[in-house]
Amino acid sequence: MLGLGRGGKGDIYRLTTGAESTGNQAMFRSWVYDSLILRLTARWYAEVLKRLPAGAVLLDVGIGTAGALAANAETVRCKGVRITGIDIDADYIVRARRRLEETALGAHAEVRLESVYDHRAGPYDAVYFSASFMLLPEPERALRHCTALLSPGGRIFFTQTIQQRPSRGMEWFKPMLKRLTSIDFGRVTYEDAFKAQLDAAGLSLEELTVLSRHGNRASCLAVARPRS
Ligand SMILES: C[S@@+](CC[C@H](N)C(=O)[O-])C[C@H]1O[C@@H](n2cnc3c(N)ncnc32)[C@H](O)[C@@H]1O
């Protein structure tokens, strides 16, 4: 499978050709991902798409298998949104390409096997991190990089869970989940730390909406724009 080199610091985002996933492994990983994640994130995409202007050009950072996007295909088509989706997971990108064909979204969306730090296109009216921001090893650098890809008036959207109260249990549990499911759920995000990351990257928080609550965690939508 294509994977990330994680040797030295400079290696962190490099896509490497290690052992290939077999077809069955790749299908299994994509199936696990779709079964566990999609129902939730399809609703998140719907909320973000609702807020985009017609004809918006969108960068989807960490598009995964494109299932959440495909679940909103009708909205994408009606609003004439154009999407570039990037991901570092080769198995997911294969599934995403197939899915865009199946849902006839090919005219609206393309996917690339690429890390956010290496992405050099745009400009974009919106950059969207759905359950991907908390996976990034250098979140502020990703934000600064994406801010530079925005067109004037552009926005950065986030949907993810935010832990409402400190939870050592959840901090321990998230890495365990990756071992069990093959899905990287990243770090636990706390609201203050998230706001501080936006601020450090020169972004102002425009909206922070709780979409649903699950105990001490909340599914949140955040919208940020460059300060000044
Ligand atoms: C939990 S999945 C979310 C997928 C999709 N956005 C959704 O909400 O259904 C997070 C995705 O981010 C991708 N990802 C992690 N680091 C990345 C990076 N540096 N650049 C682009 N994508 C990345 C992962 O491979 C994974 O597919």
Side-chain angles (χ1 to χ4, degrees), residues 169-181:
M170 195 47 87
E171 287 169 21
W172 173 85
F173 185 57
K174 273 204 162 191
M176 288 300 124
L177 268 181
K178 182 176 180 185
R179 290 198 197 162
L180 290 171
T181 65

Side-chain angles (χ1 to χ4, degrees), residues 110-208:
E110 60 154 330
V111 288
R112 299 185 194 174
L113 179 62
E114 190 176 52
S115 172
V116 62
Y117 302 97
D118 300 326
H119 186 68
R120 301 268 179 274
Y124 295 100
D125 301 309
V127 175
Y128 181 25
F129 296 87
S130 171
S132 58
F133 185 63
M134 69 281 198
L135 269 57
L136 301 176
E138 289 186 74
E140 283 161 36
R141 183 155 90 86
L143 290 180
R144 274 189 227 101
H145 181 71
C146 288
T147 300
L149 304 177
L150 287 176
S151 44
R155 298 285 188 272
I156 302 189
F157 291 79
F158 307 83
T159 46
Q160 63 176 71
T161 48
I162 292 185
Q163 189 73 29
Q164 308 279 277
R165 272 188 260 140
S167 167
R168 300 301 288 270
M170 195 47 87
E171 287 169 21
W172 173 85
F173 185 57
K174 273 204 162 191
M176 288 300 124
L177 268 181
K178 182 176 180 185
R179 290 198 197 162
L180 290 171
T181 65
S182 83
I183 300 171
D184 188 355
F185 289 89
R187 299 171 300 277
V188 175
T189 303
Y190 295 105
E191 190 173 318
D192 288 350
F194 175 65
K195 286 178 172 169
Q197 282 166 340
L198 296 186
D199 191 50
L203 294 165
S204 295
L205 187 61
E206 206 172 55
E207 175 182 348
L208 182 59

Side-chain angles (χ1 to χ4, degrees), residues 4 13 33 37-38 41-42 44-45 60-68 86-89 92 114-117 128-132 134-137 159 183-185:
L4 272 184
Y13 323 112
Y33 172 89
I37 302 271
L38 276 195
T41 61
W44 291 357
Y45 273 67
D60 183 345
V61 179
I63 189 169
T65 61
I86 57 174
D87 206 290
I88 55 170
D89 190 306
Y92 293 167
E114 190 176 52
S115 172
V116 62
Y117 302 97
Y128 181 25
F129 296 87
S130 171
S132 58
M134 69 281 198
L135 269 57
L136 301 176
T159 46
I183 300 171
D184 188 355
F185 289 89

